[in-house]
Amino acid sequence: MFETASDYAQNVDFVMLLIVGISVVLLLGITIAMIYFVFRYSRKRNPVAKQIHGNVILEIIWIVIPTIIVMVMFWYGYEGFQRLRADSEGAYEVKVYGFMWGWNFEYPNGKKNDTLYIPLGQKTKLVMTSRDVLHSFYIPAFRLKEDLVGGKSTFIVLEPSKTGSFDVACAEYCGLNHSRMYTKLHVLEDSEFDKWLKIGMPEEGKKDETKTLPKDSVKTEAILE
Amino acid sequence: MSDSTVSTNGDYVNFYQYKGKHTGILGWLLSVDHKRIGLLYLGSMVTFFLVGMTLGFFMRLELWNPGQDIMGPQTYNALFTLHGIIMIFLVIIPGIPAGFGNFFLPIQIGAEDVSFPRLNLFSWYLYTIGGLLAVASLFLSGGPIDTGWTFYAPYSLRTGTEVIMPLMAAFILGFSSILTGVNFVTTVHRLRAPGMTFFKLPLFIWALYSTAWIQIIGTPIIGITILLVVVERLFGVGLFDPAMGGDPILFQHLFWIYSHPAVYIMILPAMGVVSEIIPTFARKTIFGYGAIAVSSIAIAFVGTLVWGHHMFTSGMSDESRWVYSFLTFIVALPSGVKIFNWVATMYKGSIKAETPFLYVMAFIFLFSIGGLTGLVLGSLATDVHLHDTYFVVAHFHYVMFGGTIFIFFAALHYWFPKMFGKMYNTKIANIALAIMVVGFNMLYFTFFILGYLGMPRRYYDYLPEFQGMHQFATVGSWVMIAGILLMFINLFLGLKNGKKSGNNPWGGMTLEWTVPSPPPLLNFKKIPTVKYGPYEYEHYDEVTNNVN
Ligand code: HEM
Ligand SMILES: [Cu+2]
């Protein structure tokens, strides 16, 4: 269920587990303390409250320790995030266009398609822009998304760790068929990918006519077989 | 020890009985009494809340199966937009300050009214006009707005639905908010009773005071942003539309510069209420008064610097992304400190876990989940995955609903006897709470998982693999709504046939518990002189016997 398709995605899961783990401890601590106090210091057991106005040492502790904790969280989150983005030198570049309501991918050799194929053995940099309103290119299995903004280019770097087909969704609300803007990302062995890149040419990708949920562009797949 | 004041109940005229220039409905619509205005707001907000809830109910119903169940995508998109606009602009932003703040701020500081009573009534009229405009816009030719409550450009510039009218509604609501803020700041500065120094203010007042500043400083920004969208839509000047050389990301910055601080407008007053309720039911002074008071101000100001965390995937520079992530983690700290202080206040207290206290316990649990999952969203690596998914929907419902709205309910139960002089059935109130908490978690906890699995938000349709979880959540929404309805019905019955509550049923120490229930027109027979801090229970008898 929690499918991952890259080392980057696994690292995101690790950061998630780290933060959630610490959070669960804090949540349990707070909740258990609260419930315990309500029983232990109920008006029956403890008819007269002890008036405690504060405790400087305690208050310093519970500022300092959480500060350290959140700085650790910040660091792992930041480090994980910039891992791929900071180094996209020499990556294979694919252009991504988003529009209401579909996607278009354009390869260096001029090939165009409406589902995305990328090679396994290399980083791929998606350079993206929108033809109309905002969209967001979201690949859950890669734990990555980035908005597409008209008149401006944004990017995502992918470094897959296995072949396969993965869902791509639009994550920035874009009107009527926002929820039906699914397409597929296919990761292929390099040789397969090269084959696909050539065989497809100069055939133009057909617009995905599926108005229902994700269906692959059958045509390109058939060529591969 | 709390009943020494009941005897005064018979021989005074409370603010309901008081006959002013106008009677009947006009006695409400033209009244400048802060208590009546507070109740006008409360009535309006509860009504809007129920409307928003109904919209949420139908959204959940539509998501029972993938594909179409009971409505088309256009209707669904309009529903979540209206749900968001109603809950944000008409319920939770005016929320606790306009309702309970109006009623209790003057009483808690020992004043007869707010500084500008007429302006106060005018604010309510602006609120009502804003609400009516929003409703009216549904019937204009374009049809109900479908932009989401965030109005992101360029979609909001291009959609064929009616955008300008709801935007003008939000603009007017903004003025209502600013004027209330001005009124509260002035009142706190000018009208405190003798002896009530700033550090003797109840923490609810500190929270309202901090909130009022954000309202004054932040709201004009959203007002201007809204006007710019209207101008852009009407004249196409090229501010936000990339097709005309504008920048959509500029809109997001302007929008969140206000709308992030606005989440503190939503939560700070709730935190103030919590700081009232815990000492009352624990008979104990609050732990770390100074820290709580000052952290309200700290949150208000640091909170203005973190708006960029709504935009980690918007395409802004990578430098801004880490700076905003860093600041976001910093601003999380004062909120955490408050939670520790509240729990510490319970330590060695003498706790009677009555209805309002139980609501606060539910709040601490739910709000902690909301806050802690906020850390997940503040961290870059995880936010990039979770942004604009159901994880975010879960997070903000835990914070705004489990946080602010649960405390709105707590405040209703806490101050009900003071506002109406009657008591509701506490057993049923507790059962309603239990049902609500169960349904709430069924509904929204499921969203966290859906989000992590990659279910984007604002989706009319979804992949078949998510169906089981969507159905579970929808069942949760029924349970929760049943609890909410039970709660309101119970309060309504309490209003009609509840037993007399007495002036201080909980044993509170702040000034509102020293005046009769319901309070008389100008609150006090004689303005009190304040000697002690608001929760110094060692002086309980002296303070509460010194009765009006
Ligand atoms: C009372 C029961 C409620 C139910 C059943 C409910 C349900 C929902 C649902 C299903 C969505 C749409 C999620 C999506 O499609 O992305 C939503 C969105 C939202 N809800 Fe609620 N909700 C409730 C209460 C609240 C409350 C109390 C608040 C705030 C005080 C709130 C604020 C919002 C906001 C701001 C949105 C986002 C709207 C947008 O995307 O533009 N909701 N809610
Ligand atoms: Cu889209």
Side-chain angles (χ1 to χ4, degrees), chain B residues 204-215:
Chain B
F204 183 49
I205 305 299
W206 270 102
L208 290 175
Y209 180 75
S210 316
T211 310
W213 275 113
I214 315 178
Q215 287 171 284

Side-chain angles (χ1 to χ4, degrees), chain A residues 13 41 43 46-47 49-51 53 77 85 138 145-147 150 152 170-173 175 178-180 213, chain B residues 77 146 242 281 283-285 288 313 315 318 321 348-351 381 384-385 387-388 452 458-459 461-462:
Chain A
D13 286 0
Y41 302 109
R43 196 155 296 167
N46 197 32
K50 180 154 186 260
Q51 302 303 327
H53 288 263
R85 288 179 73 84
Y138 179 31
K145 77 164 65 68
E146 181 85 12
D147 288 5
K152 187 178 149 98
C170 176
E172 182 64 64
Y173 175 68
H178 168 54
S179 65
R180 291 166 174 179
L213 283 170
Chain B
N77 294 350
D146 69 341
F281 292 92
R283 294 253 163 103
K284 185 164 170 279
T285 187
T313 65
D318 287 15
R321 296 186 206 202
K348 299 215 163 163
S350 173
I351 301 173
V384 167
H385 173 44
H387 178 71
D388 270 342
Y452 204 81
R458 296 176 172 171
Y459 261 33
D461 203 349
Y462 55 83

Side-chain angles (χ1 to χ4, degrees), chain B residues 237-268:
Chain B
V237 287
L239 288 163
F240 304 129
D241 193 342
M244 290 180 274
D247 183 0
I249 297 184
L250 174 64
F251 173 83
Q252 295 178 30
H253 278 295
L254 290 173
F255 181 82
W256 288 113
I257 286 175
Y258 165 76
S259 295
H260 188 75
V263 310
Y264 300 109
I265 296 182
M266 304 170 199
I267 196 65
L268 280 175

